Amino acid sequence: MSKLSLDRILQTQGFGTRKYCRGLVEDGEVRINGEVIENYKSTIETEGLKFTVFDEEWDYHAHLYLVLHKPANFECSRKPSHHPGVLTLLPEQFTWRDVQPVGRLDHDTTGMLLMSDDGPFIHAQSSPKRHIPKVYVATTAEPVTDELVAQLLSGVQLHDEPEPLAAKICRRLDDNQLEIILEQGKYHQVKRMLAAAGNHCAALSRTAIGQLSLTSLGLKEGEWCYLTTEQIALLVPDSL
Ligand code: URA
């Protein structure tokens, strides 16, 4: 149980400065259970709270854990330069809460992008020590051969890496498509591994992180959802 004043609730949820949030309440723009609350000092239980701002309903979240189905031509960087940033696909107040991608996908990679405003969670989830598997489906320029799959499984040497990098799992899905599961998360890893193995990545999509698949979330490209506690618990290595 945790009670907060209404202005503080709105501020923590990213609706603006404390002063601006007080103004929203005093202007009658905030409702709880259908009732306009005009006293910003009202203390309210946050657990399970639903509130309405400008006629749009929101759930209270102490921290945000989201999955975005990232479309191509969006950048994960905080200061995007050539394409719009992925944050533009989320409600504006999430940006004020400092939501950020957990790791990055290239601008032309599509698929599952985890996003959060919980620093320790982002840190833990991105840590190479955790070996969280990430599942990718790559479309290749050249046909997928047994030799290519064997090379990716045994390890390929990338220029700036001390050791060869190997896929945890790799299997051919189609003439020009393979599934590859990686645990390392190096820069452009799938594309560089395919290039080092003599092929070329023509398109790439991330389909799962840990035991949580994008399909199970039922998101179309550009859509996002909150993760439940049960779904967050699936973002772990399968050996746990
Ligand atoms: N590997 C890549 O090459 N690109 C991505 O976006 C993710 C993994």
Side-chain angles (χ1 to χ4, degrees):
M1 291 292 189
S2 160
K3 285 190 160 195
L4 288 178
S5 62
L6 187 50
D7 58 343
R8 181 85 186 111
I9 288 176
L10 295 172
Q11 191 192 14
T12 63
Q13 300 304 289
F15 284 89
T17 61
R18 192 86 171 245
K19 189 171 169 205
Y20 177 78
C21 291
R22 287 179 177 176
L24 281 179
V25 179
E26 286 175 337
D27 290 347
E29 300 294 359
V30 184
R31 280 183 284 132
I32 293 174
N33 297 328
E35 188 194 333
V36 174
I37 312 276
E38 287 185 350
N39 181 0
Y40 62 75
K41 291 184 186 156
S42 312
T43 56
I44 292 159
E45 173 54 50
T46 54
E47 209 177 292
L49 173 67
K50 288 183 189 298
F51 60 95
T52 305
V53 180
F54 294 129
D55 291 328
E56 207 170 336
E57 189 174 73
W58 300 97
D59 292 325
Y60 177 90
H61 289 271
H63 276 298
L64 292 172
Y65 306 94
L66 315 172
V67 163
L68 170 71
H69 186 162
K70 180 189 173 298
N73 300 322
F74 282 84
E75 290 183 25
C76 288
S77 128
R78 270 171 180 269
K79 291 192 179 152
S81 45
H82 298 294
H83 302 278
V86 287
L87 288 170
T88 61
L89 296 166
L90 301 179
E92 197 187 341
Q93 71 268 23
F94 291 0
T95 309
W96 291 101
R97 295 184 63 165
D98 210 16
V99 166
Q100 32 184 304
V102 181
R104 289 187 179 185
L105 291 177
D106 299 335
H107 82 273
D108 53 354
T109 301
T110 60
M112 185 169 180
L113 184 65
L114 190 57
M115 302 184 82
S116 179
D117 63 350
D118 179 350
F121 170 80
I122 295 173
H123 184 73
Q125 201 65 29
S126 327
S127 165
K129 291 192 191 128
R130 290 197 77 202
H131 302 293
I132 299 174
K134 315 250 168 43
V135 185
Y136 297 91
V137 172
T139 305
T140 57
E142 307 300 330
V144 176
T145 58
D146 290 346
E147 191 199 347
L148 174 71
V149 171
Q151 263 186 288
L152 294 170
L153 282 170
S154 62
V156 289
Q157 185 64 54
L158 304 184
H159 290 312
D160 51 355
E161 292 298 328
E163 307 272 323
L165 293 176
K168 185 180 182 223
I169 293 175
C170 182
R171 62 190 180 105
R172 180 183 173 281
L173 297 178
D174 208 335
D175 286 353
N176 285 71
Q177 207 167 52
L178 57 77
E179 182 183 71
I180 180 165
I181 306 186
L182 299 178
E183 289 182 334
Q184 300 95 350
K186 306 278 182 188
Y187 181 67
H188 291 330
Q189 189 173 341
V190 176
K191 292 176 186 170
R192 287 160 71 219
M193 284 177 73
L194 279 169
N199 206 310
H200 172 77
C201 183
L204 185 62
S205 183
R206 182 155 69 194
T207 56
I209 298 175
Q211 312 311 306
L212 184 65
S213 74
L214 187 58
T215 322
S216 70
L217 300 171
L219 297 172
K220 299 199 190 91
E221 277 195 16
E223 290 183 345
W224 64 272
C225 68
Y226 296 105
L227 290 182
T228 63
T229 313
E230 293 74 23
Q231 288 166 336
I232 294 169
L234 296 174
L235 297 167
V236 290
D238 51 6
S239 52
L240 280 187

